[in-house]
């Protein structure tokens, strides 16, 4: 049985209605849970590190911030390579391989946290391996972009990414629950004694890794036996590397760093930020809500951008709102450990998460439209045929989606580290937050000038 589809014409309405849509949707619905698991493994350290000091690991606050940030660093770097893998290997094969790779950090974490004498080097290595989950996003989004026509790309990519992003919230909600019981009996190892002040309890922190193993195996099998490779999506790295000469690739990298980079960075740093700024608040009770809001809003960002036929307008609204929300966070933070209002701080962060989700959807609607319009102009000028223009636009758009996702993922490293650096240098996180405001203002200017204003170079 061949899993490779030779004839794929999503822009042909008759083909799409009769043949294309059911196949595309099947690949999308298998892709989503695989991506959700990838995000869960990518962000599992954001929850695990909160518990390490209480079970005997003697790590400094800075070392803990490093463990929370390292998966984002490796994930962002891997995304650069993963961006180009689908046209080389095929979407089905690469989804199965990349999903199966998540078993390494899942099993490794499960064993490492059972011994408080585990070296920091090994823990850091396992945190880096969690970057496999981060890398998967670029290949997953590039793969799904090949399956859908221009009119539905925003919605499809929004669903894939938005429901996939739920993995961040799922891991931050699930891990605090599953570590309270010995779910795997003798196979799962002994409990650890969790100590904070006069309070002690038994926890099984290894479940933070082990709980994902059966789901990873099932998702790998579903991808291998249920997805497809597209012959028309085949391309060498050399063919795809033309995107590095495209100005709009780099501009969209900046905008997506502002949206997705903020989403993943805020997600990674939120538990430790709450713990540091409001010590009397239990961060695990609230941290999962931010990523949940951001992930649920993302499909709406793609859908509404498709409906109004302008991702740039939504993106502009997003960055304006984020500037206001960060000023709100600053207003509710404690000063020198005194005052502050947790609920005001929390509400502003929920607004930030919602806006990042909306922007994640709108920016990913912009990318395919920008490159399709660019190549259609070349076809009208007689530089290439309409068919060739469509094929080139699809391949370049998919590569740009993957690469911008790689670039933006560094936000997952930069934001937690900026908190730590700001605290170390100034005694508070305020300097980092003012830096975010300046960056979002820059994003507003870029988006308005190139994509939104009347007469914009690539209006979308």
């Amino acid at each position: 049985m061949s899993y490779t589809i030779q004839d794929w014409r999503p822009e042909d309405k008759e083909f799409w209605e009769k043949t294309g849509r059911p196949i595309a949707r099947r690949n999308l619905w298998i892709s989503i849970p695989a991506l959700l698991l990838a995000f869960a493994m990518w962000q599992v350290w954001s929850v695990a590190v909160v518990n390490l000091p209480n079970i005997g690991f003697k790590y400094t606050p800075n070392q803990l911030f490093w463990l929370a940030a390292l998966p984002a660093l490796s994930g962002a770097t891997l995304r650069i390579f993963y961006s180009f893998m689908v046209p080389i290997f095929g979407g089905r094969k690469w989804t199965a391989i990349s999903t199966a790779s998540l078993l390494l950090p899942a099993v490794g974490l499960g064993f490492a946290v059972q011994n408080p004498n585990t070296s920091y080097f090994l823990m850091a290595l396992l945190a880096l391996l969690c970057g496999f989950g981060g890398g998967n996003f670029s290949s997953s989004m590039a793969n799904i972009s090949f399956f859908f026509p221009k009119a539905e790309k925003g919605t499809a990519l929004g669903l894939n990414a938005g429901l996939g992003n739920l993995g961040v919230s799922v891991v931050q909600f699930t891990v605090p629950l599953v570590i309270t019981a010995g779910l795997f009996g003798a196979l799962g190892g002994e409990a650890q004694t969790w100590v904070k002040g006069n309070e002690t309890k038994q926890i099984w922190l290894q479940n933070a890794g082990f709980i994902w193993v059966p789901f990873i195996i099932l998702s790998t099998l579903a991808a291998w036996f249920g997805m497809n490779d597209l012959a028309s999506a085949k391309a060498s790295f050399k063919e795809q590397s033309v995107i590095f000469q495209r100005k709009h690739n780099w501009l969209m990298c900046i905008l997506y760093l502002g949206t997705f980079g903020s989403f993943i960075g805020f997600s990674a740093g939120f538990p430790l930020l709450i713990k540091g700024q409001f010590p009397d608040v239990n961060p695990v009770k609230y941290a999962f809500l931010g990523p949940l809001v951001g992930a649920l809003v993302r499909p709406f960002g793609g859908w509404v951008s498709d409906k109004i036929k302008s991702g740039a307008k939504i993106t502009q609204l997003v960055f304006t709102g984020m500037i206001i929300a960060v000023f709100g966070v600053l207003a509710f933070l404690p000063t020198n450990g005194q005052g502050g209002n947790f609920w005001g701080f929390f509400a502003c962060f929920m607004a930030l998460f919602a806006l990042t989700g909306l922007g994640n959807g709108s920016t990913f609607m912009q990318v395919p439209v920008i490159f399709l319009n660019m190549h259609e102009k070349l076809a009208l000028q007689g530089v290439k045929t309409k068919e060739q223009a469509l094929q080139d636009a699809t391949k370049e758009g998919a590569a740009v989606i993957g690469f911008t996702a790689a670039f933006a993922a560094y936000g997952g490293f930069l934001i937690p580290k900026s908190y730590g650096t700001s605290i170390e240098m100034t005694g508070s996180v305020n300097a980092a937050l003012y830096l975010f405001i300046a960056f979002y203002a820059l994003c507003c200017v870029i988006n308005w000038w190139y994509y939104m204003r009347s007469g914009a170079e690539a209006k979308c």
Side-chain angles (χ1 to χ4, degrees):
M1 177 181 176
S2 175
Y3 291 95
T4 301
I5 298 174
Q6 299 296 332
D7 180 28
W8 191 252
R9 293 171 281 118
E11 299 296 342
D12 181 328
K13 289 185 179 180
E14 185 177 352
F15 173 86
W16 177 248
E17 292 296 334
K18 290 184 177 180
T19 307
R21 180 177 279 128
I23 294 172
R25 285 182 173 176
R26 170 165 44 81
N27 280 267
L28 174 62
W29 292 117
I30 294 174
S31 173
I32 287 170
L35 189 55
L36 185 149
L37 288 167
F39 269 95
M41 284 311 305
W42 194 23
Q43 290 299 299
V44 69
W45 279 99
S46 69
V47 191
V49 294
V50 175
N51 292 284
L52 292 179
N54 300 104
I55 60 171
F57 286 84
K58 307 298 183 184
Y59 298 152
T60 67
N62 195 38
Q63 285 179 312
L64 293 174
F65 267 115
W66 268 106
L67 288 178
L70 282 174
L73 183 63
S74 61
T77 305
L78 285 172
R79 281 185 177 195
I80 296 172
F81 302 99
Y82 280 40
S83 301
F84 306 101
M85 290 303 173
V86 167
I88 295 172
F89 287 93
R92 165 184 157 266
K93 297 185 192 76
W94 188 252
T95 302
I97 292 167
S98 60
T99 302
S101 73
L102 302 176
L103 291 169
L104 287 173
V107 174
L109 169 64
F111 283 109
V113 297
Q114 295 185 57
N115 182 3
N117 295 317
T118 300
S119 70
Y120 185 76
F121 173 81
L122 179 57
M123 298 294 268
L125 178 62
L126 288 169
L128 287 168
L129 287 176
C130 284
F132 285 148
N136 287 10
F137 182 78
S138 284
S139 54
S140 178
M141 294 298 280
N143 182 45
I144 293 304
S145 73
F146 283 114
F147 280 94
F148 287 84
K150 172 186 174 182
E152 297 185 33
K153 281 187 191 289
T155 303
L157 292 172
L159 284 169
N160 190 54
L163 298 181
N165 288 173
L166 276 175
V168 181
S169 183
V170 167
V171 77
Q172 292 184 346
F173 177 78
T174 302
V175 168
L177 295 177
V178 299
I179 65 175
T180 61
L183 299 179
F184 300 99
L187 290 175
E190 298 293 325
Q192 302 98 42
T193 301
W194 184 95
V195 181
K196 183 178 180 180
N198 295 324
E199 183 185 358
T200 62
K201 59 184 177 182
Q202 298 293 103
I203 69 167
W204 288 259
L205 191 56
Q206 60 267 35
N207 291 352
F210 290 155
I211 192 65
W212 310 108
V213 171
F215 299 104
I216 292 170
I217 293 171
L218 287 172
S219 188
T220 299
L221 293 173
W224 185 259
F225 292 107
M227 295 185 76
N228 297 102
D229 298 316
L230 298 178
S232 61
K234 288 288 184 180
S236 66
F237 173 77
K238 184 177 180 181
E239 290 176 282
Q240 298 177 77
S241 64
V242 69
I243 67 167
F244 299 121
Q245 301 169 29
R246 307 296 192 202
K247 173 176 66 178
H248 294 292
N249 171 52
W250 300 106
L251 292 173
M252 290 308 300
C253 278
I254 295 171
L255 296 187
Y256 198 54
L257 177 63
T259 59
F260 179 79
S262 295
F263 169 80
I264 202 66
F266 289 149
S267 298
F270 200 35
L272 284 174
L273 184 64
I274 294 174
K275 186 176 182 180
Q277 299 301 309
F278 299 94
D280 295 331
V281 176
N282 182 357
V284 299
K285 288 184 177 180
Y286 305 103
F288 77 94
L289 290 169
L292 176 64
V293 169
L296 291 176
V297 169
R298 180 167 187 157
F300 179 72
W303 176 81
V304 74
S305 298
D306 282 344
K307 286 295 180 185
I308 68 171
K309 294 181 171 55
S310 176
K313 289 181 180 178
I314 303 301
T315 301
Q316 196 72 6
L317 175 68
V318 162
F319 285 121
T320 303
M322 289 175 73
I323 291 170
I324 296 169
V326 176
F327 273 119
V329 170
L330 283 161
F332 290 114
L333 281 175
T335 303
N336 298 321
Q338 301 297 318
N341 183 300
F342 172 74
W343 292 112
F345 162 89
F346 183 74
C348 289
F349 254 104
M350 291 305 101
L352 277 171
F353 275 110
L355 289 163
T356 61
L358 197 65
N360 288 341
S362 64
T363 48
F364 264 24
M365 179 271 185
Q366 288 176 253
V367 170
V369 174
I370 290 167
F371 283 85
L372 185 59
N373 290 343
M374 181 181 76
H375 285 281
E376 283 179 342
K377 286 179 183 177
L378 294 175
L380 289 172
Q381 294 165 7
V383 177
K384 58 179 70 176
T385 65
K386 186 175 181 180
E387 184 179 334
Q388 187 62 48
L390 182 61
Q391 193 174 51
D392 290 346
T394 302
K395 288 181 179 179
E396 285 188 32
V400 170
I401 281 173
F403 185 74
T404 54
F407 187 90
Y410 283 108
F413 171 77
L414 294 171
I415 287 180
K417 279 307 298 170
S418 70
Y419 291 152
T421 302
S422 180
I423 291 169
E424 190 173 350
M425 294 180 66
T426 68
S428 77
V429 296
N430 292 22
L433 295 170
Y434 281 117
L435 184 64
F436 300 162
I437 289 170
F439 180 71
Y440 298 149
L442 172 65
C443 291
C444 276
V445 172
I446 291 173
N447 184 67
W448 178 80
W449 181 261
Y450 286 101
Y451 306 119
M452 198 186 91
R453 69 184 173 90
S454 177
E457 180 181 321
K459 196 170 178 65
C460 58

